[in-house]
Amino acid sequence: MSKFFKTTSWIYFLAFIELLLSPSGASAYSVVRFGAKGDGRTDSTSAFIRAWMQACSSVRPATLSVPRGTFLVRSITFTGPCRNRIQFAIHGKLVAPDNYYAIGNSGYWIQFHKVSRLSIIGGTIDAKGADFWSCRSRGQSCPQGARSISLQWCNVRGLTSYNSQIMHISINHSNDVKIQNVKINAPSGSPNTDGIHVEYSMGVTITDSTIRTGDDCISLGQGSMNVWVEQIGCGPGHGISIGSLGNSFNEGGVQNVTLTNSVFTKTQNGVRLKSWARPSGGYARNIVFENLIMRNVGNPIIIDQNYCPNNMCPHQLLDSVGSVKKVFIKNESQLITPILGS
């Protein structure tokens, strides 16, 4: 029996087992049934789309499963609305093409658009961002870069993300999102690789996660409200930031944010609020930081209303109060307990 036949038979066997183990009453769709191959070389994008269309149109709750193996996919959008709940169960690994241009001009790699009642569980995604970062460091003409996974109205548990070109997980225009037990990994020198970025979303919970990256571990942009962040291991990276705000006058504010019981290790900053020095109707208020441990952190707490990365800020108004106008920190005496050395 050939090695190829043995490998293929094993993948189909795993897909069959996943069918049997699917939640009671749920329809199950394995991507290998639609032509995906877990060999790490075959482009499985179309197979994933076909499997998604079937799962999304199911009248019963559906499970779309990715079995063990390495599946290569290009830029892909999973579109809703769907007829019922969907569980996207990744048991294997998703990888981007080696050529960073294959996803770099799209702005995203894996996108879920207008999909509610979706849970993404387990597995690993690897965007192979190293060559893209090298392109940027050499000052060459590079694509804009792709966020690894963009979410709307989704819950994520147990996912591991490696080497995103830019942001790893992006949450936009969403309500009631839960991110649990995720692991995010990128080198400390990788540019703009925010771990989790939130904008114009309400009711976001991020817990029990480890984030090692080259930019903010978590960044909360304009329109982020009712956000709970707890038990995060951050570092290396730039810390956990609110902002940057003040990018335009008519922007949403950031409100009701709690960060608690988290550890920062060898980060540039701990907790940070940052705003461009421009007039803005935005704001940051009702922000709570408590029970945070800092180990070898450059700036444990920093509020920067003259934010100007790379000294390229021609429209800054240095005497402006910026958009961080109303910040209330509760339990100020317990803000950071304790601050530790190495």
Side-chain angles (χ1 to χ4, degrees):
M1 185 180 297
S2 70
K3 182 178 179 180
F4 172 79
F5 182 77
K6 289 180 180 178
T7 302
T8 303
S9 299
W10 178 243
I11 290 174
Y12 276 95
F13 172 74
L14 288 173
F16 174 71
I17 293 298
E18 288 161 3
L19 268 169
L20 296 178
L21 296 179
S22 295
S24 177
S27 300
Y29 303 90
S30 173
V31 294
V32 298
R33 292 171 51 201
F34 296 85
K37 294 183 179 180
D39 57 12
R41 301 183 304 274
T42 303
D43 185 351
S44 296
T45 309
S46 296
F48 272 67
I49 291 294
R50 289 192 294 269
W52 174 262
M53 291 175 64
Q54 290 293 315
C56 187
S57 61
S58 173
V59 296
R60 297 192 299 172
T63 296
L64 190 153
S65 64
V66 181
R68 296 187 184 278
T70 300
F71 295 84
L72 186 148
V73 292
R74 296 176 179 271
S75 295
I76 187 169
T77 298
F78 300 104
T79 304
C82 297
R83 299 183 69 179
N84 214 312
R85 296 190 305 275
I86 296 183
Q87 181 184 93
F88 198 114
I90 306 172
H91 302 284
K93 184 177 183 179
L94 275 59
V95 296
D98 291 332
N99 184 345
Y100 56 85
Y101 275 95
I103 66 171
N105 281 316
S106 65
Y108 64 88
W109 175 27
I110 302 166
Q111 178 175 234
F112 293 88
H113 182 62
K114 294 185 178 180
V115 182
S116 59
R117 298 181 295 173
L118 170 69
S119 296
I120 303 169
I121 298 175
T124 298
I125 61 174
D126 187 347
K128 299 181 179 179
D131 287 345
F132 172 77
W133 307 329
S134 295
C135 175
R136 293 191 59 182
S137 68
R138 293 192 299 267
Q140 296 178 326
S141 178
C142 310
Q144 62 179 324
R147 303 178 180 190
S148 277
I149 185 165
S150 299
L151 305 174
Q152 294 181 328
W153 297 293
C154 309
N155 296 325
V156 180
R157 175 163 53 91
L159 181 73
T160 299
S161 175
Y162 287 102
N163 301 322
S164 181
Q165 288 188 353
I166 48 176
M167 296 175 182
H168 284 257
I169 298 176
S170 173
I171 302 168
N172 292 286
H173 296 92
S174 298
N175 296 325
D176 301 322
V177 176
K178 293 182 180 179
I179 308 290
Q180 299 173 282
N181 301 113
V182 301
K183 296 179 181 179
I184 293 173
N185 287 279
S188 59
S190 55
N192 300 117
T193 52
D194 295 54
I196 301 171
H197 179 72
V198 182
E199 276 193 11
Y200 287 109
S201 296
M202 182 179 296
V204 177
T205 301
I206 305 170
T207 61
D208 303 300
S209 298
T210 301
I211 304 172
R212 303 169 57 86
T213 189
D215 209 293
D216 293 329
C217 292
I218 298 171
S219 55
L220 305 178
Q222 53 185 306
S224 300
M225 296 191 178
N226 303 338
V227 179
W228 184 275
V229 182
E230 183 173 11
Q231 294 186 344
I232 304 299
C234 172
H238 291 181
I240 294 179
S241 296
I242 293 175
S244 53
L245 302 177
N247 205 29
S248 63
F249 185 81
N250 296 312
E251 70 173 22
V254 176
Q255 182 172 324
N256 301 336
V257 175
T258 297
L259 166 63
T260 185
N261 300 326
S262 296
V263 179
F264 297 75
T265 305
K266 296 182 178 178
T267 53
Q268 183 185 77
N269 307 293
V271 293
R272 175 170 60 160
L273 289 86
K274 54 182 179 176
S275 167
W276 302 88
R278 301 170 184 166
S280 175
Y283 56 84
R285 63 188 177 211
N286 297 339
I287 311 297
V288 179
F289 300 135
E290 61 183 7
N291 298 332
L292 307 180
I293 296 175
M294 307 283 175
R295 297 191 176 107
N296 291 338
V297 171
N299 302 299
I301 309 168
I302 180 168
I303 299 177
D304 182 1
Q305 295 184 262
N306 254 340
Y307 179 63
C308 181
N310 303 317
N311 296 315
M312 298 177 62
C313 311
H315 303 297
Q316 292 279 54
L317 301 175
L318 297 182
D319 59 346
S320 170
V321 297
S323 63
V324 183
K325 296 177 180 177
K326 299 178 181 178
V327 179
F328 302 97
I329 302 177
K330 298 179 181 178
N331 301 324
E332 193 167 354
S333 63
Q334 302 176 17
L335 183 59
I336 295 181
T337 311
I339 298 176
L340 301 179
S342 58

